[in-house]
Amino acid sequence: MCRWMAYYGSPMLVDDLIFKPKHSLIDQSLHSTMGATTTNGDGFGIGWYGEGPEPAIYKNVSPAWNDANLHEIARQVRTPLLFAHIRAATGTAVQRSNCHPFRWGRWLWMHNGMINGFHEMKRDLMLQVEPSIFADMEGSTDSEMLFFLALSFGLTDDPIRAVERAVGLVEKVASDHGIPHPVQMTVATANGESVWAFRYSSEGKSRSLFFSTDVTRLRELYPDNPVLLNAGDETRLVVSEPLGDLPGAWNEVPESSAGIVRPGVDELIPFRPVA
């Protein structure tokens, strides 16, 4: 499986987000404590929003801990919205086009998990992708397929409903093929203004996912913490596993839930796939 993190808040250096925390994503690429695999070395990617109309991405098939260019970029790029992902491949090729995050227009997408029986279902699922965007798929992963199904079902208009329909379709096709428990996922998607995160599995035993406690509350608990003093009030992290061990800083996302991180009040609601 994989590990990922999404950051939303005041502009911050990528280096401070993916390298410097005690249990950073780079540390997790070697020493994951909650993932299905301890080492996640089958490529990595970061996606961030900056000056242009679309997000930038940097992806490579080398292990994240051993990429000199990632260090160079991380020390110079400052962004209010970052996606970072380290990959452990589950049956598809280790190649750049299969590294997360995936991009379509202003949208980013990353996934931890798998579609069980994807090989048997792939043709049926591909036929449900909107023809006008079909040629934009670059890789061969179930993760990118799920992204394009969500786009086909209206991700740009109603992200939660679109992902519910995409997952519902996968479960329907799996049932037709006699495949049990097809979906295992934690997913994040963003359009530059908001982040949507999902935790769901067909068997009700989803991979780990956490979100950070409201910064104003953390400042009350730790008034002398310099990191919290410099963080903006809108700062929020969504992560596969906590980046540190500060008591009260992390909260587990409930099973079958969708969360929205945006200016003002964030939201956590039930996630219910629709066939």
Side-chain angles (χ1 to χ4, degrees), residues 20-50:
K20 290 185 177 179
K22 180 178 180 181
H23 188 46
S24 70
L25 201 67
I26 303 304
D27 181 64
Q28 291 177 35
S29 66
L30 282 165
H31 307 293
S32 171
T33 60
M34 296 183 179
T37 56
T38 300
T39 303
N40 299 271
D42 295 326
F44 69 89
I46 59 173
W48 68 95
Y49 293 84

Side-chain angles (χ1 to χ4, degrees), residues 38 68 83 102 105-106 118 120 126 140 199 206 209 218 239:
T38 300
F83 275 18
F102 303 102
R106 282 192 56 80
F118 179 61
E120 292 81 2
M126 289 179 70
S140 57
R199 185 184 186 212
S206 303
L209 193 64
L218 288 175
V239 297

